[in-house]
Amino acid sequence: MKPPLLSVVIPVHNVEDHLEECLRSVAEQSLDAIEVVMVDDGSTDGSARIAAGFAARDSRFRLVRQKNAGLSAARNTGVRHTASAVPYLAFADSDDFVVHDAYERMVASLESTGSDLVTGNVWRLTGQGRRQAWQYRWLTASRRRTHITRDPRLLADRVAWNKVFRRSFWDGHAFAFPEGKLYEDTPVMIPAHHLAGAVDVLHEHVYYWRVREGSITRRRTDVTGVRDRIDACEQVSAFLGEHGGAERRRAYDASCLRDDFGYFLDGLPMGGAAYRAAFLEGAGAFVERAGAGVLEGLPVELRIKWRLVRERRLDELLAVLAFERANGVGTFAVEGPPGRRRAAYPGVRGASARLARTDVPAVARLVEARWGADGKLRLRGYAYLRNLPAGAAGQQLRVGMVRAEGARRVRTVPVRAVPVPEATVNSGQELHGYDHAGFEMVLDPDRLPATGDGGKGGWLVGLIVAVRGTVRRVAVRAVDAGAEQPLVHDLGDGRRAVLDHRGGRLRVRVSRAGALVAGSGGAEGGALELAGRSFGGPEPVALVLTREGDEERSFPVECGVPGGGGGAVPGGDAVPGGCGAGAVGGGGRGVAAGGARGRQRAPGRVVERGGGGGVR
């Protein structure tokens, strides 16, 4: 057996329903050079039996038993029982499971770069299936040898189980999880990010995090939980104040108010008197210590709520939370003239704050797209500024525009106002009406030339929206991800238009093919004969088929009579200006209609007289 490259520590406590899946996901990793230390933390169900079975069947697994002492203590025990000479260290929780090749990819990354730790993307697993963990939505591209000081978004990367650590780095800083506390990951992970010389970040998913909703609801209103979470954030904040400077500490404090404490803030209406008192005491002291400046940059609704927490105004805070439950987070009334507008909550005295530009975002959604008989594309949707009601059609100005990808210049497109009642329904709130926020836009593809390489680029569709003195520019998006389906339209003469989405933004692409196959049929000798048409450029002299593996074969092309002659489609009509490739095949090697793998179209290009180029 190969000596292990990676030690994996798995604490186990009363998880018999999920433990088998977790351990199997580690046992079946594509990296088999591992040692696994399972720590039974005083389980009272069948978990210890399941773990012992794995240890009996697989010599890479070992079981350590201890009295119940909590997750942190079990992790620390597991590290002590691993072999310190093994170069890498990882942790997994026993109700989660690991992507099958995660450890191989993460170890390979550290071997290649020499970084001290590697972190990867996370799936969130619920009863409804898997979805992207919201904490890692920012993780859309991999980065090697980066650092939290260069990418502050790593402040959100606070868990232990989506990482692999270089063991010399872990031991060199004597990392240990705080025992007897909940929310034990953050006080270790954020310092680890800062103390690392370099960090690798993988945008590919490495871990399935199982979220058990019942336990979340209980923890959200737990007195010990809220105190431990605030204490953990205070520990990290103090560390950053000593090692990272005031700016980084302020950024972290803001992230705690935006993410960590929001979890407990939302649970305030469900909590009892002891929970509410613990929350106001701890969170209020945190905001006071951090200073008023930490609220700058937070959304206005959070600025209002945290000011109420700082002032210990529980009744007003509960009233704001009740309003949000009825109307949705981020919904509020807007008071005052342009330039001096404030967000306010109807009926809640003193719950208001000055609006920043980012507090009034624009929303633009596509409801319907169709091609008309005149060859033009008709788009219907709605656009509004959130929390500024579109009370009547004349109270809102909309200007359509398209912009070529990679360019700054825009073209304006006429827009007609239409009623769209679903705008208010889809907004998820009842305070503001957006029924008159509808628009219709007509795009003429003849006025949108092909962009980019071979028409691969496109035109992004957007709007300028002005309401009550506030102007915003906004991209048009689909109502939901399921509506992001492409719409293809043949424009003739080898051109086609495609309406699709790029990064969620509505896009129109107009492209022209160098040549198209119009028909196919059998020829003498069992060969395949293709007929089609080339568009523009010199007359083609050969059709080249490329087989996977870069093998190429050339076949003769016969073109129609100059000035409108046709190439015959076997068994069909003449194709004006067309060309035909005869005797394609020869034993089925490189056949256009089948190829080596039975594809509908094999890669090929047309070789033209007087120059190269062509199509695939």
Side-chain angles (χ1 to χ4, degrees), residues 406-428:
R408 300 182 64 182
R409 186 178 177 182
V410 301
R411 298 186 180 197
T412 59
V413 180
V415 169
R416 185 169 70 93
V418 295
V420 181
E422 53 260 59
T424 302
V425 175
N426 292 345
S427 69

mmCIF file with all atom_site columns, all heavy atoms in Angstrom, residues 406-428:
data_model
loop_
_atom_site.group_PDB
_atom_site.id
_atom_site.type_symbol
_atom_site.label_atom_id
_atom_site.label_alt_id
_atom_site.label_comp_id
_atom_site.label_asym_id
_atom_site.label_entity_id
_atom_site.label_seq_id
_atom_site.pdbx_PDB_ins_code
_atom_site.Cartn_x
_atom_site.Cartn_y
_atom_site.Cartn_z
_atom_site.occupancy
_atom_site.B_iso_or_equiv
_atom_site.pdbx_formal_charge
_atom_site.auth_seq_id
_atom_site.auth_comp_id
_atom_site.auth_asym_id
_atom_site.auth_atom_id
_atom_site.pdbx_PDB_model_num
ATOM 1   N N   . GLY A 1 406 ? -18.075 43.530 -25.058 1.00 0.00 ? 406 GLY A N   1
ATOM 2   C CA  . GLY A 1 406 ? -16.698 43.995 -25.129 1.00 0.00 ? 406 GLY A CA  1
ATOM 3   C C   . GLY A 1 406 ? -16.553 45.415 -25.618 1.00 0.00 ? 406 GLY A C   1
ATOM 4   O O   . GLY A 1 406 ? -15.439 45.922 -25.736 1.00 0.00 ? 406 GLY A O   1
ATOM 5   N N   . ALA A 1 407 ? -17.653 46.098 -25.898 1.00 0.00 ? 407 ALA A N   1
ATOM 6   C CA  . ALA A 1 407 ? -17.604 47.480 -26.377 1.00 0.00 ? 407 ALA A CA  1
ATOM 7   C C   . ALA A 1 407 ? -18.381 48.376 -25.422 1.00 0.00 ? 407 ALA A C   1
ATOM 8   O O   . ALA A 1 407 ? -19.170 47.907 -24.608 1.00 0.00 ? 407 ALA A O   1
ATOM 9   C CB  . ALA A 1 407 ? -18.200 47.584 -27.786 1.00 0.00 ? 407 ALA A CB  1
ATOM 10  N N   . ARG A 1 408 ? -18.146 49.681 -25.515 1.00 0.00 ? 408 ARG A N   1
ATOM 11  C CA  . ARG A 1 408 ? -18.818 50.625 -24.621 1.00 0.00 ? 408 ARG A CA  1
ATOM 12  C C   . ARG A 1 408 ? -19.947 51.369 -25.326 1.00 0.00 ? 408 ARG A C   1
ATOM 13  O O   . ARG A 1 408 ? -20.857 51.856 -24.682 1.00 0.00 ? 408 ARG A O   1
ATOM 14  C CB  . ARG A 1 408 ? -17.798 51.630 -24.082 1.00 0.00 ? 408 ARG A CB  1
ATOM 15  C CG  . ARG A 1 408 ? -16.665 50.984 -23.295 1.00 0.00 ? 408 ARG A CG  1
ATOM 16  C CD  . ARG A 1 408 ? -15.698 51.996 -22.746 1.00 0.00 ? 408 ARG A CD  1
ATOM 17  N NE  . ARG A 1 408 ? -16.333 52.882 -21.776 1.00 0.00 ? 408 ARG A NE  1
ATOM 18  C CZ  . ARG A 1 408 ? -15.715 53.878 -21.168 1.00 0.00 ? 408 ARG A CZ  1
ATOM 19  N NH1 . ARG A 1 408 ? -14.441 54.127 -21.431 1.00 0.00 ? 408 ARG A NH1 1
ATOM 20  N NH2 . ARG A 1 408 ? -16.366 54.630 -20.289 1.00 0.00 ? 408 ARG A NH2 1
ATOM 21  N N   . ARG A 1 409 ? -19.861 51.480 -26.635 1.00 0.00 ? 409 ARG A N   1
ATOM 22  C CA  . ARG A 1 409 ? -20.868 52.240 -27.360 1.00 0.00 ? 409 ARG A CA  1
ATOM 23  C C   . ARG A 1 409 ? -22.196 51.484 -27.378 1.00 0.00 ? 409 ARG A C   1
ATOM 24  O O   . ARG A 1 409 ? -22.235 50.277 -27.531 1.00 0.00 ? 409 ARG A O   1
ATOM 25  C CB  . ARG A 1 409 ? -20.393 52.492 -28.786 1.00 0.00 ? 409 ARG A CB  1
ATOM 26  C CG  . ARG A 1 409 ? -21.302 53.394 -29.582 1.00 0.00 ? 409 ARG A CG  1
ATOM 27  C CD  . ARG A 1 409 ? -20.738 53.636 -30.969 1.00 0.00 ? 409 ARG A CD  1
ATOM 28  N NE  . ARG A 1 409 ? -21.637 54.457 -31.769 1.00 0.00 ? 409 ARG A NE  1
ATOM 29  C CZ  . ARG A 1 409 ? -21.404 54.780 -33.040 1.00 0.00 ? 409 ARG A CZ  1
ATOM 30  N NH1 . ARG A 1 409 ? -20.304 54.343 -33.631 1.00 0.00 ? 409 ARG A NH1 1
ATOM 31  N NH2 . ARG A 1 409 ? -22.263 55.517 -33.704 1.00 0.00 ? 409 ARG A NH2 1
ATOM 32  N N   . VAL A 1 410 ? -23.283 52.221 -27.218 1.00 0.00 ? 410 VAL A N   1
ATOM 33  C CA  . VAL A 1 410 ? -24.607 51.612 -27.217 1.00 0.00 ? 410 VAL A CA  1
ATOM 34  C C   . VAL A 1 410 ? -25.447 52.169 -28.352 1.00 0.00 ? 410 VAL A C   1
ATOM 35  O O   . VAL A 1 410 ? -25.181 53.248 -28.871 1.00 0.00 ? 410 VAL A O   1
ATOM 36  C CB  . VAL A 1 410 ? -25.344 51.851 -25.872 1.00 0.00 ? 410 VAL A CB  1
ATOM 37  C CG1 . VAL A 1 410 ? -24.548 51.285 -24.725 1.00 0.00 ? 410 VAL A CG1 1
ATOM 38  C CG2 . VAL A 1 410 ? -25.624 53.327 -25.661 1.00 0.00 ? 410 VAL A CG2 1
ATOM 39  N N   . ARG A 1 411 ? -26.440 51.402 -28.752 1.00 0.00 ? 411 ARG A N   1
ATOM 40  C CA  . ARG A 1 411 ? -27.434 51.840 -29.730 1.00 0.00 ? 411 ARG A CA  1
ATOM 41  C C   . ARG A 1 411 ? -28.783 51.901 -29.032 1.00 0.00 ? 411 ARG A C   1
ATOM 42  O O   . ARG A 1 411 ? -29.161 50.964 -28.325 1.00 0.00 ? 411 ARG A O   1
ATOM 43  C CB  . ARG A 1 411 ? -27.508 50.869 -30.913 1.00 0.00 ? 411 ARG A CB  1
ATOM 44  C CG  . ARG A 1 411 ? -26.230 50.740 -31.710 1.00 0.00 ? 411 ARG A CG  1
ATOM 45  C CD  . ARG A 1 411 ? -26.456 49.864 -32.931 1.00 0.00 ? 411 ARG A CD  1
ATOM 46  N NE  . ARG A 1 411 ? -25.245 49.725 -33.727 1.00 0.00 ? 411 ARG A NE  1
ATOM 47  C CZ  . ARG A 1 411 ? -25.232 49.305 -34.986 1.00 0.00 ? 411 ARG A CZ  1
ATOM 48  N NH1 . ARG A 1 411 ? -26.380 48.963 -35.576 1.00 0.00 ? 411 ARG A NH1 1
ATOM 49  N NH2 . ARG A 1 411 ? -24.109 49.207 -35.642 1.00 0.00 ? 411 ARG A NH2 1
ATOM 50  N N   . THR A 1 412 ? -29.492 52.968 -29.195 1.00 0.00 ? 412 THR A N   1
ATOM 51  C CA  . THR A 1 412 ? -30.805 53.090 -28.576 1.00 0.00 ? 412 THR A CA  1
ATOM 52  C C   . THR A 1 412 ? -31.850 52.384 -29.419 1.00 0.00 ? 412 THR A C   1
ATOM 53  O O   . THR A 1 412 ? -31.739 52.285 -30.650 1.00 0.00 ? 412 THR A O   1
ATOM 54  C CB  . THR A 1 412 ? -31.197 54.555 -28.379 1.00 0.00 ? 412 THR A CB  1
ATOM 55  O OG1 . THR A 1 412 ? -31.206 55.216 -29.647 1.00 0.00 ? 412 THR A OG1 1
ATOM 56  C CG2 . THR A 1 412 ? -30.208 55.256 -27.460 1.00 0.00 ? 412 THR A CG2 1
ATOM 57  N N   . VAL A 1 413 ? -32.880 51.893 -28.756 1.00 0.00 ? 413 VAL A N   1
ATOM 58  C CA  . VAL A 1 413 ? -33.970 51.159 -29.390 1.00 0.00 ? 413 VAL A CA  1
ATOM 59  C C   . VAL A 1 413 ? -35.278 51.729 -28.857 1.00 0.00 ? 413 VAL A C   1
ATOM 60  O O   . VAL A 1 413 ? -35.428 51.916 -27.646 1.00 0.00 ? 413 VAL A O   1
ATOM 61  C CB  . VAL A 1 413 ? -33.883 49.654 -29.067 1.00 0.00 ? 413 VAL A CB  1
ATOM 62  C CG1 . VAL A 1 413 ? -35.022 48.892 -29.745 1.00 0.00 ? 413 VAL A CG1 1
ATOM 63  C CG2 . VAL A 1 413 ? -32.538 49.091 -29.475 1.00 0.00 ? 413 VAL A CG2 1
ATOM 64  N N   . PRO A 1 414 ? -36.240 52.032 -29.728 1.00 0.00 ? 414 PRO A N   1
ATOM 65  C CA  . PRO A 1 414 ? -37.525 52.559 -29.240 1.00 0.00 ? 414 PRO A CA  1
ATOM 66  C C   . PRO A 1 414 ? -38.222 51.578 -28.303 1.00 0.00 ? 414 PRO A C   1
ATOM 67  O O   . PRO A 1 414 ? -38.159 50.363 -28.478 1.00 0.00 ? 414 PRO A O   1
ATOM 68  C CB  . PRO A 1 414 ? -38.335 52.760 -30.533 1.00 0.00 ? 414 PRO A CB  1
ATOM 69  C CG  . PRO A 1 414 ? -37.321 52.830 -31.624 1.00 0.00 ? 414 PRO A CG  1
ATOM 70  C CD  . PRO A 1 414 ? -36.189 51.961 -31.192 1.00 0.00 ? 414 PRO A CD  1
ATOM 71  N N   . VAL A 1 415 ? -38.874 52.113 -27.274 1.00 0.00 ? 415 VAL A N   1
ATOM 72  C CA  . VAL A 1 415 ? -39.593 51.316 -26.288 1.00 0.00 ? 415 VAL A CA  1
ATOM 73  C C   . VAL A 1 415 ? -40.994 51.886 -26.135 1.00 0.00 ? 415 VAL A C   1
ATOM 74  O O   . VAL A 1 415 ? -41.182 53.105 -26.078 1.00 0.00 ? 415 VAL A O   1
ATOM 75  C CB  . VAL A 1 415 ? -38.859 51.325 -24.930 1.00 0.00 ? 415 VAL A CB  1
ATOM 76  C CG1 . VAL A 1 415 ? -39.738 50.735 -23.844 1.00 0.00 ? 415 VAL A CG1 1
ATOM 77  C CG2 . VAL A 1 415 ? -37.565 50.541 -25.019 1.00 0.00 ? 415 VAL A CG2 1
ATOM 78  N N   . ARG A 1 416 ? -41.969 51.008 -26.055 1.00 0.00 ? 416 ARG A N   1
ATOM 79  C CA  . ARG A 1 416 ? -43.354 51.419 -25.846 1.00 0.00 ? 416 ARG A CA  1
ATOM 80  C C   . ARG A 1 416 ? -43.823 50.934 -24.484 1.00 0.00 ? 416 ARG A C   1
ATOM 81  O O   . ARG A 1 416 ? -43.576 49.788 -24.105 1.00 0.00 ? 416 ARG A O   1
ATOM 82  C CB  . ARG A 1 416 ? -44.247 50.840 -26.951 1.00 0.00 ? 416 ARG A CB  1
ATOM 83  C CG  . ARG A 1 416 ? -45.697 51.298 -26.897 1.00 0.00 ? 416 ARG A CG  1
ATOM 84  C CD  . ARG A 1 416 ? -46.423 50.891 -28.169 1.00 0.00 ? 416 ARG A CD  1
ATOM 85  N NE  . ARG A 1 416 ? -46.635 49.456 -28.247 1.00 0.00 ? 416 ARG A NE  1
ATOM 86  C CZ  . ARG A 1 416 ? -47.728 48.834 -27.829 1.00 0.00 ? 416 ARG A CZ  1
ATOM 87  N NH1 . ARG A 1 416 ? -48.707 49.543 -27.271 1.00 0.00 ? 416 ARG A NH1 1
ATOM 88  N NH2 . ARG A 1 416 ? -47.848 47.528 -27.962 1.00 0.00 ? 416 ARG A NH2 1
ATOM 89  N N   . ALA A 1 417 ? -44.477 51.819 -23.719 1.00 0.00 ? 417 ALA A N   1
ATOM 90  C CA  . ALA A 1 417 ? -44.986 51.453 -22.401 1.00 0.00 ? 417 ALA A CA  1
ATOM 91  C C   . ALA A 1 417 ? -46.255 50.620 -22.541 1.00 0.00 ? 417 ALA A C   1
ATOM 92  O O   . ALA A 1 417 ? -47.153 50.959 -23.315 1.00 0.00 ? 417 ALA A O   1
ATOM 93  C CB  . ALA A 1 417 ? -45.280 52.704 -21.577 1.00 0.00 ? 417 ALA A CB  1
ATOM 94  N N   . VAL A 1 418 ? -46.342 49.528 -21.785 1.00 0.00 ? 418 VAL A N   1
ATOM 95  C CA  . VAL A 1 418 ? -47.519 48.658 -21.789 1.00 0.00 ? 418 VAL A CA  1
ATOM 96  C C   . VAL A 1 418 ? -47.775 48.213 -20.342 1.00 0.00 ? 418 VAL A C   1
ATOM 97  O O   . VAL A 1 418 ? -46.854 48.156 -19.533 1.00 0.00 ? 418 VAL A O   1
ATOM 98  C CB  . VAL A 1 418 ? -47.313 47.415 -22.684 1.00 0.00 ? 418 VAL A CB  1
ATOM 99  C CG1 . VAL A 1 418 ? -47.159 47.805 -24.138 1.00 0.00 ? 418 VAL A CG1 1
ATOM 100 C CG2 . VAL A 1 418 ? -46.114 46.601 -22.207 1.00 0.00 ? 418 VAL A CG2 1
ATOM 101 N N   . PRO A 1 419 ? -49.002 47.901 -19.991 1.00 0.00 ? 419 PRO A N   1
ATOM 102 C CA  . PRO A 1 419 ? -49.267 47.376 -18.638 1.00 0.00 ? 419 PRO A CA  1
ATOM 103 C C   . PRO A 1 419 ? -48.804 45.929 -18.512 1.00 0.00 ? 419 PRO A C   1
ATOM 104 O O   . PRO A 1 419 ? -49.030 45.120 -19.415 1.00 0.00 ? 419 PRO A O   1
ATOM 105 C CB  . PRO A 1 419 ? -50.794 47.489 -18.515 1.00 0.00 ? 419 PRO A CB  1
ATOM 106 C CG  . PRO A 1 419 ? -51.295 47.473 -19.927 1.00 0.00 ? 419 PRO A CG  1
ATOM 107 C CD  . PRO A 1 419 ? -50.239 48.125 -20.766 1.00 0.00 ? 419 PRO A CD  1
ATOM 108 N N   . VAL A 1 420 ? -48.142 45.609 -17.417 1.00 0.00 ? 420 VAL A N   1
ATOM 109 C CA  . VAL A 1 420 ? -47.696 44.236 -17.139 1.00 0.00 ? 420 VAL A CA  1
ATOM 110 C C   . VAL A 1 420 ? -48.000 43.935 -15.668 1.00 0.00 ? 420 VAL A C   1
ATOM 111 O O   . VAL A 1 420 ? -47.158 44.150 -14.792 1.00 0.00 ? 420 VAL A O   1
ATOM 112 C CB  . VAL A 1 420 ? -46.191 44.056 -17.433 1.00 0.00 ? 420 VAL A CB  1
ATOM 113 C CG1 . VAL A 1 420 ? -45.773 42.615 -17.152 1.00 0.00 ? 420 VAL A CG1 1
ATOM 114 C CG2 . VAL A 1 420 ? -45.866 44.417 -18.871 1.00 0.00 ? 420 VAL A CG2 1
ATOM 115 N N   . PRO A 1 421 ? -49.204 43.453 -15.356 1.00 0.00 ? 421 PRO A N   1
ATOM 116 C CA  . PRO A 1 421 ? -49.584 43.227 -13.951 1.00 0.00 ? 421 PRO A CA  1
ATOM 117 C C   . PRO A 1 421 ? -48.681 42.241 -13.216 1.00 0.00 ? 421 PRO A C   1
ATOM 118 O O   . PRO A 1 421 ? -48.536 42.325 -11.995 1.00 0.00 ? 421 PRO A O   1
ATOM 119 C CB  . PRO A 1 421 ? -51.014 42.686 -14.068 1.00 0.00 ? 421 PRO A CB  1
ATOM 120 C CG  . PRO A 1 421 ? -51.511 43.181 -15.400 1.00 0.00 ? 421 PRO A CG  1
ATOM 121 C CD  . PRO A 1 421 ? -50.308 43.191 -16.287 1.00 0.00 ? 421 PRO A CD  1
ATOM 122 N N   . GLU A 1 422 ? -48.059 41.306 -13.969 1.00 0.00 ? 422 GLU A N   1
ATOM 123 C CA  . GLU A 1 422 ? -47.220 40.322 -13.274 1.00 0.00 ? 422 GLU A CA  1
ATOM 124 C C   . GLU A 1 422 ? -45.981 40.945 -12.658 1.00 0.00 ? 422 GLU A C   1
ATOM 125 O O   . GLU A 1 422 ? -45.311 40.317 -11.827 1.00 0.00 ? 422 GLU A O   1
ATOM 126 C CB  . GLU A 1 422 ? -46.813 39.193 -14.212 1.00 0.00 ? 422 GLU A CB  1
ATOM 127 C CG  . GLU A 1 422 ? -46.166 39.636 -15.513 1.00 0.00 ? 422 GLU A CG  1
ATOM 128 C CD  . GLU A 1 422 ? -47.142 39.630 -16.669 1.00 0.00 ? 422 GLU A CD  1
ATOM 129 O OE1 . GLU A 1 422 ? -48.155 40.345 -16.556 1.00 0.00 ? 422 GLU A OE1 1
ATOM 130 O OE2 . GLU A 1 422 ? -46.881 38.925 -17.661 1.00 0.00 ? 422 GLU A OE2 1
ATOM 131 N N   . ALA A 1 423 ? -45.655 42.189 -13.014 1.00 0.00 ? 423 ALA A N   1
ATOM 132 C CA  . ALA A 1 423 ? -44.490 42.846 -12.411 1.00 0.00 ? 423 ALA A CA  1
ATOM 133 C C   . ALA A 1 423 ? -44.682 42.989 -10.907 1.00 0.00 ? 423 ALA A C   1
ATOM 134 O O   . ALA A 1 423 ? -43.765 42.702 -10.129 1.00 0.00 ? 423 ALA A O   1
ATOM 135 C CB  . ALA A 1 423 ? -44.258 44.207 -13.062 1.00 0.00 ? 423 ALA A CB  1
ATOM 136 N N   . THR A 1 424 ? -45.860 43.428 -10.480 1.00 0.00 ? 424 THR A N   1
ATOM 137 C CA  . THR A 1 424 ? -46.124 43.571 -9.044  1.00 0.00 ? 424 THR A CA  1
ATOM 138 C C   . THR A 1 424 ? -46.171 42.213 -8.371  1.00 0.00 ? 424 THR A C   1
ATOM 139 O O   . THR A 1 424 ? -45.621 42.027 -7.274  1.00 0.00 ? 424 THR A O   1
ATOM 140 C CB  . THR A 1 424 ? -47.448 44.316 -8.818  1.00 0.00 ? 424 THR A CB  1
ATOM 141 O OG1 . THR A 1 424 ? -47.382 45.596 -9.448  1.00 0.00 ? 424 THR A OG1 1
ATOM 142 C CG2 . THR A 1 424 ? -47.712 44.507 -7.330  1.00 0.00 ? 424 THR A CG2 1
ATOM 143 N N   . VAL A 1 425 ? -46.802 41.246 -9.015  1.00 0.00 ? 425 VAL A N   1
ATOM 144 C CA  . VAL A 1 425 ? -46.904 39.898 -8.442  1.00 0.00 ? 425 VAL A CA  1
ATOM 145 C C   . VAL A 1 425 ? -45.516 39.298 -8.243  1.00 0.00 ? 425 VAL A C   1
ATOM 146 O O   . VAL A 1 425 ? -45.183 38.769 -7.177  1.00 0.00 ? 425 VAL A O   1
ATOM 147 C CB  . VAL A 1 425 ? -47.764 38.991 -9.336  1.00 0.00 ? 425 VAL A CB  1
ATOM 148 C CG1 . VAL A 1 425 ? -47.764 37.561 -8.803  1.00 0.00 ? 425 VAL A CG1 1
ATOM 149 C CG2 . VAL A 1 425 ? -49.178 39.528 -9.440  1.00 0.00 ? 425 VAL A CG2 1
ATOM 150 N N   . ASN A 1 426 ? -44.674 39.405 -9.273  1.00 0.00 ? 426 ASN A N   1
ATOM 151 C CA  . ASN A 1 426 ? -43.343 38.810 -9.199  1.00 0.00 ? 426 ASN A CA  1
ATOM 152 C C   . ASN A 1 426 ? -42.427 39.527 -8.211  1.00 0.00 ? 426 ASN A C   1
ATOM 153 O O   . ASN A 1 426 ? -41.418 38.961 -7.776  1.00 0.00 ? 426 ASN A O   1
ATOM 154 C CB  . ASN A 1 426 ? -42.689 38.804 -10.585 1.00 0.00 ? 426 ASN A CB  1
ATOM 155 C CG  . ASN A 1 426 ? -43.380 37.870 -11.552 1.00 0.00 ? 426 ASN A CG  1
ATOM 156 O OD1 . ASN A 1 426 ? -44.169 37.016 -11.158 1.00 0.00 ? 426 ASN A OD1 1
ATOM 157 N ND2 . ASN A 1 426 ? -43.098 38.026 -12.836 1.00 0.00 ? 426 ASN A ND2 1
ATOM 158 N N   . SER A 1 427 ? -42.741 40.759 -7.861  1.00 0.00 ? 427 SER A N   1
ATOM 159 C CA  . SER A 1 427 ? -41.889 41.505 -6.933  1.00 0.00 ? 427 SER A CA  1
ATOM 160 C C   . SER A 1 427 ? -41.950 40.951 -5.523  1.00 0.00 ? 427 SER A C   1
ATOM 161 O O   . SER A 1 427 ? -41.095 41.237 -4.690  1.00 0.00 ? 427 SER A O   1
ATOM 162 C CB  . SER A 1 427 ? -42.275 42.985 -6.919  1.00 0.00 ? 427 SER A CB  1
ATOM 163 O OG  . SER A 1 427 ? -43.555 43.169 -6.309  1.00 0.00 ? 427 SER A OG  1
ATOM 164 N N   . GLY A 1 428 ? -43.004 40.163 -5.200  1.00 0.00 ? 428 GLY A N   1
ATOM 165 C CA  . GLY A 1 428 ? -43.102 39.512 -3.905  1.00 0.00 ? 428 GLY A CA  1
ATOM 166 C C   . GLY A 1 428 ? -43.460 40.442 -2.759  1.00 0.00 ? 428 GLY A C   1
ATOM 167 O O   . GLY A 1 428 ? -43.236 40.089 -1.599  1.00 0.00 ? 428 GLY A O   1
#
